[in-house]
Amino acid sequence: MGCASCHGQNGEGISTIRDGYEKGPSLVGVGAAAVDFRVETGRMPLAQPGSQAPRKQPTYSDEEVAAMAAYVASLAPGPAIPTEQDYSIEGLSDDEREEAIVRGGQIFLTNCTACHNFNGGGGAMPRGGYAPSLKGVESKHIYEALLTGPQAMPNFSNGNLSPEEKRDVIAYLRSIEDTPNYGGFGMGGLGPVSEGLFAWVLGIGGLVGFAVWIAAHTTRSTKQPIEEGAEA
Amino acid sequence: MTDSHDHTPAVVEEPIANPGLPAHTWRPTDLDEGAATRAERQVAGFFGLSMVCAVLFVVAYFTLEIGDNFDTFIGLGASTVAPGLALGGSLLFIGIGIIQWARKLMGDHEISELRHPAGSPAEDRDAAVSDIMQGIEESGIGRRPLVRNSLLGAMGMMGLPAIVLLRDLGPTNARVANAENGTGLQHTIWKKGMRVVRDVVGTPIKASELEIGDLVNAAPEAQFPTEANGYPEIEGVELQVLKAKGAIIVVKMEPEEIKPVEGRENWTVDGVICYSKICTHVGCPISLYERTTHHVLCPCHQSTFDLADGAKVIFGPAHRPLPQLPPAVDEEGYLIAQADFDEPIGASYWEREKQ
């Protein structure tokens, strides 16, 4: 009911009259992982057409999502919903975990930072699109996004990044969240660009304002010296 | 200022009468000894605050907790905010004290200085010119052209050692260019049969395992030498150059979506297509790829290339499509290169069009 108006009653997708445009793409072969990601993060059902479906409060309960995912998975084989074993480094020794985080960081910096920023903060994309922030996103959803490539994002299927490599990327993202944050303002985590802008505009601007304020105030008064002898 | 020299003011006849200086206004500190004492105490107070801040810095530095259980101060990490505020305050209060001192206590009276002509007196100039003319006359430089010309020649030849030394600052492209080992601006390490591997991890890619919409940031296998693949160890500048020129992006799209460039009809493997990762504008590595549009965007200057259409430039300052690497599949099913790029990768350079 919630999906058929765009994706068709059998999940076959609905094309528009204009060639190459569609109201909703076919769901055949997208797999349970794609359904789980889009519905659990609230991206689907779509509230309104736009350049990109935003993350929002999910509409369906967990059982409903599971049922929809199972139905879509039955249409054609596709990526399954990953289990905790796939994306967690809980079972590893401390050394193995550290190794996973370091490797995950290198993979992240090579494959993901172009769009998602080197701290996972997200960034702008052409024509009103954006790469969303990865902060606070559930590990399962990151894994599913890698597997299925939501919207304009390319996918990182198992033939592209192995399951262990995906797990390591998630371990790296979790490790940046665990790093103690000594406060201050993130300013987008963009490093010298935003910090420099802040220092030049607000910092130096504030100093210029202070100097103007000093110069605009005089210490002189209307008092005149009292003539000698005038004192009583 | 009194006019003690014989320099006369630039304008003697003034078109309007000189109004003179406005009447002096007085500061309270000039008139009232009590106000002056108060100002003195204020200045000393600011310097004292500066000392307090310096001490606070040291205290904050040594007492505040860092690590997992760090102290907070107005919601921020105290170990950075408190020393920062203390050090800033220490400097600021010295500044405020000095300004207060200058404005309230230092001498306060108007002065005026008249402008004088900047040139030297005529007799000084005449003396200087006659000294120079005498020098020219005595050296005989005008009468003896042989001396003058041989001096000019000697000074010109002094440039030769500089040119010889500058020439050796770096090898010219023509001297290092070698297609066999992939050196020079027009060649890369890619060659027939070299495997395409994942960047950073260095594992080979099975073409059949890639799915529609995949983007692989890939590298030449020679970048990851092992005993098994037999590539020579490489390090330092050579490794950086190899990486900078060899990086590619591999994408897989529906085969019918690809518009093959003339003469490159067999440059794809079942929808897998490879392009240089180095932008043809000024050489930034690019991988902002949108699977829906097949566009890849350069983050530096927004050049956009359509990977489904021979990486044609569709937006931005880039002038040429991304160079395309022809892929193939070896007997084990892994992606390999058919050959090196057929044109230089990356930004333009002087001799590029002459190749």
Side-chain angles (χ1 to χ4, degrees), chain A residues 106 110-111 114-115 125 127 148-149 151-157 159-160 165 181-184 214 217-221 223 225, chain B residues 25-28 31 67 70 76-77 80 99 103 108 110 198-201 209 212-217 287-292 295:
Chain A
Q106 290 177 328
T110 308
N111 291 284
C115 304
M125 294 296 286
R127 288 177 302 283
T148 63
Q151 309 190 52
M153 175 174 156
N155 40 334
F156 295 87
S157 66
N160 181 347
E165 286 159 1
N181 177 9
Y182 290 121
I214 292 171
H217 289 76
T218 177
T219 49
R220 291 178 172 176
S221 67
K223 281 186 187 170
Chain B
T25 49
W26 298 86
R27 301 178 299 187
L31 305 172
F70 56 92
L76 305 170
T80 49
I99 286 173
R103 290 166 64 87
D108 177 44
E110 292 81 5
R198 296 175 182 89
D199 201 356
V200 176
V201 268
E209 287 179 358
I212 304 291
D214 263 332
L215 162 74
V216 191
N217 290 279
S287 62
L288 276 89
Y289 174 64
E290 290 186 307
R291 61 179 286 185
T292 41
H295 293 170

Short mmCIF file of all heavy atoms in Angstrom, two decimals, chain A residues 106 110-111 114-115 125 127 148-149 151-157 159-160 165 181-184 214 217-221 223 225, chain B residues 25-28 31 67 70 76-77 80 99 103 108 110 198-201 209 212-217 287-292 295:
data_model
loop_
_atom_site.label_atom_id
_atom_site.label_comp_id
_atom_site.label_asym_id
_atom_site.label_seq_id
_atom_site.Cartn_x
_atom_site.Cartn_y
_atom_site.Cartn_z
N GLN A 106 42.26 3.79 6.21
CA GLN A 106 42.89 3.97 4.89
C GLN A 106 41.87 3.76 3.78
O GLN A 106 41.83 4.51 2.80
CB GLN A 106 44.05 3.00 4.73
CG GLN A 106 45.23 3.35 5.61
CD GLN A 106 46.33 2.33 5.49
OE1 GLN A 106 46.08 1.15 5.27
NE2 GLN A 106 47.55 2.78 5.65
N THR A 110 40.43 6.60 1.07
CA THR A 110 40.57 6.41 -0.37
C THR A 110 39.22 6.43 -1.08
O THR A 110 39.09 6.99 -2.16
CB THR A 110 41.24 5.04 -0.65
OG1 THR A 110 42.43 4.99 0.12
CG2 THR A 110 41.57 4.87 -2.10
N ASN A 111 38.21 5.79 -0.46
CA ASN A 111 36.96 5.55 -1.18
C ASN A 111 35.81 6.47 -0.78
O ASN A 111 34.89 6.65 -1.55
CB ASN A 111 36.51 4.10 -0.96
CG ASN A 111 37.42 3.12 -1.65
OD1 ASN A 111 37.37 2.96 -2.86
ND2 ASN A 111 38.30 2.50 -0.90
N ALA A 114 35.99 11.54 -0.52
CA ALA A 114 35.72 12.46 -1.62
C ALA A 114 34.36 13.12 -1.42
O ALA A 114 34.19 14.31 -1.67
CB ALA A 114 35.78 11.72 -2.94
N CYS A 115 33.37 12.35 -0.98
CA CYS A 115 32.02 12.90 -0.79
C CYS A 115 31.69 13.13 0.68
O CYS A 115 31.06 14.13 1.02
CB CYS A 115 30.98 11.95 -1.38
SG CYS A 115 31.24 11.58 -3.12
N MET A 125 26.87 17.95 -2.98
CA MET A 125 27.02 17.27 -4.26
C MET A 125 26.34 18.12 -5.32
O MET A 125 25.60 19.05 -4.99
CB MET A 125 26.38 15.88 -4.19
CG MET A 125 27.06 14.91 -3.24
SD MET A 125 28.74 14.48 -3.70
CE MET A 125 28.46 13.40 -5.10
N ARG A 127 23.86 19.69 -8.19
CA ARG A 127 22.42 19.83 -8.41
C ARG A 127 21.59 19.57 -7.15
O ARG A 127 20.65 18.81 -7.14
CB ARG A 127 21.94 18.90 -9.53
CG ARG A 127 22.38 19.37 -10.92
CD ARG A 127 21.97 18.42 -11.99
NE ARG A 127 22.50 17.09 -11.75
CZ ARG A 127 23.75 16.74 -11.99
NH1 ARG A 127 24.60 17.60 -12.48
NH2 ARG A 127 24.16 15.53 -11.73
N THR A 148 24.34 -1.52 -1.09
CA THR A 148 23.29 -1.28 -2.08
C THR A 148 23.40 0.06 -2.79
O THR A 148 22.70 0.29 -3.77
CB THR A 148 21.90 -1.35 -1.42
OG1 THR A 148 21.80 -0.30 -0.46
CG2 THR A 148 21.70 -2.67 -0.71
N GLY A 149 24.25 1.00 -2.30
CA GLY A 149 24.41 2.28 -3.00
C GLY A 149 23.13 3.07 -3.12
O GLY A 149 22.56 3.19 -4.20
N GLN A 151 20.45 5.95 -3.68
CA GLN A 151 20.35 7.18 -4.48
C GLN A 151 21.57 7.35 -5.39
O GLN A 151 21.87 6.44 -6.15
CB GLN A 151 20.07 8.37 -3.56
CG GLN A 151 18.89 8.05 -2.65
CD GLN A 151 18.38 9.24 -1.88
OE1 GLN A 151 18.10 10.27 -2.44
NE2 GLN A 151 18.24 9.08 -0.59
N ALA A 152 22.28 8.48 -5.30
CA ALA A 152 23.38 8.71 -6.25
C ALA A 152 24.68 8.03 -5.82
O ALA A 152 25.66 8.04 -6.55
CB ALA A 152 23.62 10.20 -6.42
N MET A 153 24.70 7.46 -4.61
CA MET A 153 25.96 6.88 -4.11
C MET A 153 26.30 5.60 -4.89
O MET A 153 25.43 4.77 -5.13
CB MET A 153 25.80 6.54 -2.63
CG MET A 153 26.98 5.83 -2.02
SD MET A 153 26.80 5.64 -0.24
CE MET A 153 27.85 4.23 0.05
N PRO A 154 27.57 5.48 -5.32
CA PRO A 154 27.96 4.21 -5.95
C PRO A 154 27.92 3.10 -4.91
O PRO A 154 28.03 3.37 -3.72
CB PRO A 154 29.39 4.48 -6.42
CG PRO A 154 29.87 5.62 -5.63
CD PRO A 154 28.68 6.42 -5.22
N ASN A 155 27.75 1.84 -5.33
CA ASN A 155 27.81 0.80 -4.31
C ASN A 155 29.21 0.22 -4.18
O ASN A 155 30.06 0.40 -5.04
CB ASN A 155 26.74 -0.28 -4.48
CG ASN A 155 26.51 -0.65 -5.89
OD1 ASN A 155 26.74 0.14 -6.78
ND2 ASN A 155 26.05 -1.86 -6.13
N PHE A 156 29.41 -0.42 -3.05
CA PHE A 156 30.68 -1.07 -2.74
C PHE A 156 30.35 -2.51 -2.44
O PHE A 156 30.36 -2.96 -1.31
CB PHE A 156 31.37 -0.33 -1.59
CG PHE A 156 31.75 1.07 -1.96
CD1 PHE A 156 30.86 2.12 -1.82
CD2 PHE A 156 32.99 1.34 -2.52
CE1 PHE A 156 31.19 3.41 -2.22
CE2 PHE A 156 33.33 2.61 -2.92
CZ PHE A 156 32.44 3.65 -2.77
N SER A 157 29.97 -3.23 -3.53
CA SER A 157 29.53 -4.61 -3.39
C SER A 157 30.68 -5.46 -2.88
O SER A 157 31.82 -5.00 -2.79
CB SER A 157 29.07 -5.12 -4.76
OG SER A 157 30.21 -5.19 -5.61
N GLY A 159 32.31 -7.66 -4.29
CA GLY A 159 33.39 -7.78 -5.26
C GLY A 159 34.24 -6.53 -5.34
O GLY A 159 35.31 -6.52 -5.93
N ASN A 160 33.77 -5.45 -4.73
CA ASN A 160 34.47 -4.17 -4.75
C ASN A 160 35.24 -4.04 -3.44
O ASN A 160 36.48 -4.03 -3.43
CB ASN A 160 33.41 -3.07 -4.92
CG ASN A 160 33.96 -1.69 -4.99
OD1 ASN A 160 35.13 -1.47 -4.68
ND2 ASN A 160 33.14 -0.74 -5.37
N GLU A 165 36.55 -5.63 4.65
CA GLU A 165 36.94 -4.24 4.40
C GLU A 165 35.80 -3.29 4.78
O GLU A 165 36.04 -2.22 5.34
CB GLU A 165 37.37 -4.07 2.94
CG GLU A 165 38.75 -4.67 2.68
CD GLU A 165 39.05 -4.99 1.22
OE1 GLU A 165 38.19 -4.73 0.36
OE2 GLU A 165 40.12 -5.52 0.97
N ASN A 181 36.36 14.13 22.73
CA ASN A 181 36.22 15.42 22.07
C ASN A 181 36.42 16.50 23.12
O ASN A 181 35.61 16.66 24.02
CB ASN A 181 34.81 15.50 21.45
CG ASN A 181 34.54 16.83 20.82
OD1 ASN A 181 35.45 17.65 20.69
ND2 ASN A 181 33.31 17.06 20.43
N TYR A 182 37.52 17.20 23.05
CA TYR A 182 37.84 18.18 24.08
C TYR A 182 37.08 19.48 23.88
O TYR A 182 37.44 20.49 24.43
CB TYR A 182 39.35 18.44 24.12
CG TYR A 182 40.10 17.25 24.66
CD1 TYR A 182 41.08 16.63 23.91
CD2 TYR A 182 39.80 16.74 25.92
CE1 TYR A 182 41.75 15.54 24.40
CE2 TYR A 182 40.46 15.64 26.40
CZ TYR A 182 41.44 15.04 25.65
OH TYR A 182 42.09 13.96 26.13
N GLY A 183 36.06 19.42 23.07
CA GLY A 183 35.23 20.61 22.94
C GLY A 183 35.73 21.54 21.87
O GLY A 183 36.54 21.16 21.02
N GLY A 184 35.25 22.74 21.88
CA GLY A 184 35.52 23.65 20.78
C GLY A 184 34.44 23.46 19.74
O GLY A 184 33.55 22.63 19.89
N ILE A 214 38.19 51.88 20.38
CA ILE A 214 39.15 52.63 21.20
C ILE A 214 39.34 54.03 20.62
O ILE A 214 39.29 55.03 21.33
CB ILE A 214 40.52 51.89 21.24
CG1 ILE A 214 40.40 50.59 22.03
CG2 ILE A 214 41.60 52.78 21.86
CD1 ILE A 214 41.62 49.70 21.93
N HIS A 217 36.63 56.83 21.05
CA HIS A 217 36.35 57.39 22.37
C HIS A 217 37.52 58.25 22.82
O HIS A 217 38.66 57.83 22.75
CB HIS A 217 36.09 56.28 23.38
CG HIS A 217 34.78 55.60 23.14
ND1 HIS A 217 34.60 54.70 22.12
CD2 HIS A 217 33.57 55.72 23.74
CE1 HIS A 217 33.35 54.29 22.12
NE2 HIS A 217 32.70 54.90 23.09
N THR A 218 37.23 59.45 23.26
CA THR A 218 38.30 60.35 23.69
C THR A 218 38.38 60.33 25.21
O THR A 218 37.41 60.03 25.90
CB THR A 218 38.05 61.77 23.18
OG1 THR A 218 39.08 62.61 23.69
CG2 THR A 218 36.69 62.31 23.67
N THR A 219 39.58 60.61 25.71
CA THR A 219 39.73 60.71 27.17
C THR A 219 39.65 62.18 27.59
O THR A 219 39.77 62.51 28.75
CB THR A 219 41.09 60.14 27.61
OG1 THR A 219 42.10 60.71 26.78
CG2 THR A 219 41.09 58.64 27.51
N ARG A 220 39.49 63.06 26.59
CA ARG A 220 39.46 64.48 26.92
C ARG A 220 38.07 64.87 27.45
O ARG A 220 37.09 64.17 27.21
CB ARG A 220 39.81 65.32 25.70
CG ARG A 220 41.28 65.13 25.34
CD ARG A 220 41.62 65.91 24.13
NE ARG A 220 43.05 65.89 23.91
CZ ARG A 220 43.62 66.43 22.86
NH1 ARG A 220 42.88 67.05 21.96
NH2 ARG A 220 44.92 66.40 22.71
N SER A 221 38.01 66.03 28.11
CA SER A 221 36.73 66.46 28.66
C SER A 221 36.58 67.95 28.40
O SER A 221 37.43 68.58 27.76
CB SER A 221 36.70 66.18 30.16
OG SER A 221 37.64 67.03 30.79
N LYS A 223 36.55 70.09 30.76
CA LYS A 223 37.14 70.80 31.92
C LYS A 223 38.23 71.74 31.47
O LYS A 223 38.95 71.45 30.52
CB LYS A 223 37.73 69.78 32.91
CG LYS A 223 36.67 69.12 33.78
CD LYS A 223 37.35 68.25 34.81
CE LYS A 223 36.32 67.45 35.59
NZ LYS A 223 36.97 66.43 36.41
N PRO A 225 41.58 74.26 32.89
CA PRO A 225 42.41 74.47 34.09
C PRO A 225 41.89 75.66 34.90
O PRO A 225 41.45 76.66 34.33
CB PRO A 225 43.80 74.74 33.52
CG PRO A 225 43.57 75.16 32.12
CD PRO A 225 42.30 74.51 31.66
N THR B 25 41.75 70.96 24.46
CA THR B 25 40.83 70.52 25.51
C THR B 25 41.62 69.64 26.46
O THR B 25 42.57 68.95 26.05
CB THR B 25 39.66 69.73 24.91
OG1 THR B 25 40.18 68.75 24.04
CG2 THR B 25 38.71 70.63 24.16
N TRP B 26 41.22 69.63 27.68
CA TRP B 26 42.03 68.99 28.71
C TRP B 26 41.43 67.68 29.14
O TRP B 26 40.23 67.48 29.09
CB TRP B 26 42.16 69.93 29.93
CG TRP B 26 42.87 71.19 29.57
CD1 TRP B 26 42.32 72.32 29.06
CD2 TRP B 26 44.27 71.43 29.68
NE1 TRP B 26 43.26 73.27 28.83
CE2 TRP B 26 44.50 72.75 29.21
CE3 TRP B 26 45.37 70.70 30.11
CZ2 TRP B 26 45.76 73.32 29.18
CZ3 TRP B 26 46.61 71.28 30.09
CH2 TRP B 26 46.81 72.57 29.62
N ARG B 27 42.33 66.77 29.56
CA ARG B 27 41.86 65.51 30.12
C ARG B 27 41.73 65.68 31.63
O ARG B 27 42.52 66.44 32.23
CB ARG B 27 42.87 64.40 29.85
CG ARG B 27 43.14 64.17 28.39
CD ARG B 27 44.18 63.11 28.18
NE ARG B 27 45.47 63.47 28.77
CZ ARG B 27 46.59 62.77 28.60
NH1 ARG B 27 46.57 61.67 27.89
NH2 ARG B 27 47.71 63.15 29.16
N PRO B 28 40.79 64.99 32.25
CA PRO B 28 40.69 65.09 33.71
C PRO B 28 42.02 64.78 34.39
O PRO B 28 42.37 65.39 35.40
CB PRO B 28 39.63 64.06 34.06
CG PRO B 28 38.81 63.89 32.83
CD PRO B 28 39.73 64.13 31.69
N LEU B 31 44.39 67.69 34.87
CA LEU B 31 43.98 68.78 35.75
C LEU B 31 43.89 68.35 37.20
O LEU B 31 44.15 69.12 38.11
CB LEU B 31 42.61 69.31 35.30
CG LEU B 31 42.56 69.74 33.83
CD1 LEU B 31 41.14 70.06 33.43
CD2 LEU B 31 43.47 70.95 33.61
N GLY B 67 42.20 13.22 28.85
CA GLY B 67 41.96 11.78 28.70
C GLY B 67 40.48 11.48 28.68
O GLY B 67 39.68 12.30 28.26
N PHE B 70 37.71 13.87 31.15
CA PHE B 70 38.25 15.23 31.18
C PHE B 70 37.28 16.20 31.83
O PHE B 70 36.07 15.99 31.84
CB PHE B 70 38.62 15.68 29.76
CG PHE B 70 37.51 15.62 28.77
CD1 PHE B 70 36.70 16.71 28.55
CD2 PHE B 70 37.27 14.46 28.03
CE1 PHE B 70 35.69 16.67 27.62
CE2 PHE B 70 36.25 14.42 27.10
CZ PHE B 70 35.46 15.52 26.90
N LEU B 76 32.59 22.86 27.29
CA LEU B 76 33.72 22.56 26.42
C LEU B 76 34.84 21.95 27.27
O LEU B 76 34.82 22.05 28.49
CB LEU B 76 34.22 23.83 25.74
CG LEU B 76 33.16 24.61 24.96
CD1 LEU B 76 33.69 25.95 24.54
CD2 LEU B 76 32.72 23.82 23.74
N GLY B 77 35.79 21.31 26.61
CA GLY B 77 36.90 20.71 27.33
C GLY B 77 37.72 21.78 28.06
O GLY B 77 38.28 22.67 27.43
N THR B 80 41.47 22.76 27.17
CA THR B 80 41.84 23.65 26.05
C THR B 80 41.29 25.05 26.27
O THR B 80 41.97 26.04 26.00
CB THR B 80 41.29 23.13 24.71
OG1 THR B 80 39.91 22.82 24.87
CG2 THR B 80 42.01 21.90 24.24
N ILE B 99 47.38 50.84 26.41
CA ILE B 99 46.52 51.84 25.76
C ILE B 99 45.99 52.84 26.78
O ILE B 99 46.00 54.07 26.57
CB ILE B 99 45.38 51.12 25.01
CG1 ILE B 99 45.95 50.47 23.75
CG2 ILE B 99 44.26 52.08 24.65
CD1 ILE B 99 45.00 49.59 23.02
N ARG B 103 46.75 56.80 26.71
CA ARG B 103 45.66 57.75 26.53
C ARG B 103 45.41 58.64 27.74
O ARG B 103 44.96 59.78 27.60
CB ARG B 103 44.37 56.99 26.18
CG ARG B 103 44.42 56.39 24.77
CD ARG B 103 43.34 55.37 24.56
NE ARG B 103 42.02 55.97 24.65
CZ ARG B 103 41.39 56.52 23.63
NH1 ARG B 103 41.96 56.56 22.46
NH2 ARG B 103 40.20 57.05 23.79
N ASP B 108 50.07 64.93 26.38
CA ASP B 108 48.93 65.17 25.48
C ASP B 108 48.96 66.61 25.01
O ASP B 108 48.46 67.50 25.69
CB ASP B 108 47.64 64.86 26.25
CG ASP B 108 46.41 65.16 25.41
OD1 ASP B 108 46.42 64.80 24.23
OD2 ASP B 108 45.47 65.76 25.94
N GLU B 110 49.11 69.14 21.18
CA GLU B 110 49.06 69.13 19.73
C GLU B 110 50.39 69.61 19.16
O GLU B 110 51.02 70.52 19.71
CB GLU B 110 47.94 70.07 19.22
CG GLU B 110 46.54 69.61 19.54
CD GLU B 110 46.10 69.96 20.96
OE1 GLU B 110 46.86 70.65 21.67
OE2 GLU B 110 45.02 69.50 21.37
N ARG B 198 42.81 -2.99 -5.97
CA ARG B 198 42.17 -1.98 -5.13
C ARG B 198 43.24 -1.10 -4.51
O ARG B 198 44.25 -1.63 -4.01
CB ARG B 198 41.37 -2.67 -4.02
CG ARG B 198 40.23 -3.49 -4.56
CD ARG B 198 39.53 -4.25 -3.43
NE ARG B 198 38.46 -5.06 -3.99
CZ ARG B 198 38.63 -6.32 -4.40
NH1 ARG B 198 39.80 -6.90 -4.31
NH2 ARG B 198 37.61 -6.99 -4.92
N ASP B 199 43.01 0.19 -4.53
CA ASP B 199 43.97 1.10 -3.91
C ASP B 199 44.03 0.81 -2.42
O ASP B 199 43.06 0.34 -1.82
CB ASP B 199 43.53 2.56 -4.16
CG ASP B 199 44.68 3.53 -4.01
OD1 ASP B 199 45.79 3.09 -3.65
OD2 ASP B 199 44.48 4.73 -4.27
N VAL B 200 45.17 1.06 -1.79
CA VAL B 200 45.43 0.88 -0.36
C VAL B 200 45.57 -0.59 0.02
O VAL B 200 46.56 -0.98 0.64
CB VAL B 200 44.35 1.54 0.54
CG1 VAL B 200 44.61 1.23 1.99
CG2 VAL B 200 44.31 3.01 0.31
N VAL B 201 44.58 -1.46 -0.36
CA VAL B 201 44.69 -2.86 0.05
C VAL B 201 45.51 -3.68 -0.94
O VAL B 201 46.17 -4.64 -0.55
CB VAL B 201 43.31 -3.52 0.28
CG1 VAL B 201 42.89 -3.41 1.69
CG2 VAL B 201 42.27 -2.96 -0.64
N GLU B 209 32.75 -10.18 -10.31
CA GLU B 209 32.16 -9.93 -8.98
C GLU B 209 31.68 -8.50 -8.80
O GLU B 209 31.04 -8.19 -7.80
CB GLU B 209 33.17 -10.28 -7.88
CG GLU B 209 33.36 -11.78 -7.73
CD GLU B 209 34.37 -12.13 -6.65
OE1 GLU B 209 34.95 -11.21 -6.06
OE2 GLU B 209 34.58 -13.33 -6.44
N ILE B 212 26.54 -3.61 -10.94
CA ILE B 212 26.16 -2.33 -11.55
C ILE B 212 26.17 -1.25 -10.46
O ILE B 212 25.61 -1.45 -9.38
CB ILE B 212 24.74 -2.43 -12.16
CG1 ILE B 212 24.65 -3.57 -13.17
CG2 ILE B 212 24.33 -1.09 -12.78
CD1 ILE B 212 25.43 -3.38 -14.42
N GLY B 213 26.80 -0.12 -10.73
CA GLY B 213 26.83 0.96 -9.74
C GLY B 213 28.07 0.96 -8.88
O GLY B 213 28.26 1.86 -8.07
N ASP B 214 28.93 -0.05 -9.03
CA ASP B 214 30.16 -0.08 -8.23
C ASP B 214 31.14 0.99 -8.68
O ASP B 214 31.24 1.30 -9.87
CB ASP B 214 30.83 -1.46 -8.38
CG ASP B 214 30.47 -2.39 -7.24
OD1 ASP B 214 30.19 -1.89 -6.14
OD2 ASP B 214 30.49 -3.62 -7.45
N LEU B 215 31.85 1.53 -7.70
CA LEU B 215 32.97 2.45 -7.97
C LEU B 215 34.16 1.88 -7.22
O LEU B 215 34.11 1.72 -6.01
CB LEU B 215 32.65 3.85 -7.44
CG LEU B 215 33.87 4.76 -7.26
CD1 LEU B 215 34.39 5.23 -8.60
CD2 LEU B 215 33.56 5.93 -6.38
N VAL B 216 35.23 1.56 -7.95
CA VAL B 216 36.44 1.07 -7.31
C VAL B 216 37.54 2.10 -7.50
O VAL B 216 37.81 2.52 -8.63
CB VAL B 216 36.91 -0.29 -7.91
CG1 VAL B 216 37.99 -0.89 -7.03
CG2 VAL B 216 35.76 -1.23 -8.07
N ASN B 217 38.13 2.54 -6.41
CA ASN B 217 39.31 3.40 -6.50
C ASN B 217 40.49 2.45 -6.63
O ASN B 217 40.83 1.74 -5.68
CB ASN B 217 39.42 4.26 -5.25
CG ASN B 217 38.33 5.31 -5.22
OD1 ASN B 217 38.44 6.34 -5.84
ND2 ASN B 217 37.25 5.02 -4.51
N SER B 287 37.01 11.47 -7.35
CA SER B 287 36.17 10.27 -7.25
C SER B 287 34.79 10.58 -6.68
O SER B 287 34.15 9.72 -6.14
CB SER B 287 36.86 9.18 -6.42
OG SER B 287 37.07 9.61 -5.11
N LEU B 288 34.32 11.83 -6.79
CA LEU B 288 32.95 12.13 -6.40
C LEU B 288 32.05 11.65 -7.53
O LEU B 288 31.78 12.37 -8.48
CB LEU B 288 32.73 13.64 -6.20
CG LEU B 288 33.12 14.24 -4.86
CD1 LEU B 288 34.56 14.67 -4.90
CD2 LEU B 288 32.24 15.43 -4.53
N TYR B 289 31.61 10.39 -7.41
CA TYR B 289 30.90 9.76 -8.51
C TYR B 289 29.43 9.57 -8.15
O TYR B 289 29.11 9.17 -7.04
CB TYR B 289 31.55 8.40 -8.80
CG TYR B 289 30.84 7.57 -9.83
CD1 TYR B 289 30.73 8.00 -11.14
CD2 TYR B 289 30.29 6.34 -9.49
CE1 TYR B 289 30.07 7.22 -12.08
CE2 TYR B 289 29.64 5.56 -10.44
CZ TYR B 289 29.54 6.01 -11.73
OH TYR B 289 28.90 5.23 -12.67
N GLU B 290 28.56 9.93 -9.10
CA GLU B 290 27.13 9.69 -8.92
C GLU B 290 26.72 8.56 -9.85
O GLU B 290 26.79 8.71 -11.07
CB GLU B 290 26.33 10.95 -9.30
CG GLU B 290 26.49 12.08 -8.33
CD GLU B 290 25.56 13.23 -8.70
OE1 GLU B 290 25.59 13.68 -9.86
OE2 GLU B 290 24.81 13.66 -7.83
N ARG B 291 26.27 7.44 -9.27
CA ARG B 291 25.95 6.28 -10.11
C ARG B 291 24.73 6.55 -10.98
O ARG B 291 24.60 5.96 -12.06
CB ARG B 291 25.71 5.05 -9.25
CG ARG B 291 24.55 5.23 -8.30
CD ARG B 291 24.29 4.01 -7.47
NE ARG B 291 23.65 2.97 -8.27
CZ ARG B 291 23.22 1.82 -7.77
NH1 ARG B 291 23.41 1.59 -6.48
NH2 ARG B 291 22.65 0.93 -8.51
N THR B 292 23.83 7.42 -10.52
CA THR B 292 22.61 7.64 -11.28
C THR B 292 22.87 8.41 -12.57
O THR B 292 22.24 8.16 -13.59
CB THR B 292 21.59 8.41 -10.44
OG1 THR B 292 22.29 9.44 -9.73
CG2 THR B 292 20.91 7.52 -9.43
N HIS B 295 28.15 10.80 -13.56
CA HIS B 295 29.03 11.97 -13.56
C HIS B 295 30.04 11.84 -12.45
O HIS B 295 29.72 11.38 -11.36
CB HIS B 295 28.22 13.26 -13.34
CG HIS B 295 27.29 13.57 -14.47
ND1 HIS B 295 26.33 14.55 -14.39
CD2 HIS B 295 27.19 13.04 -15.71
CE1 HIS B 295 25.67 14.59 -15.53
NE2 HIS B 295 26.16 13.70 -16.34
#
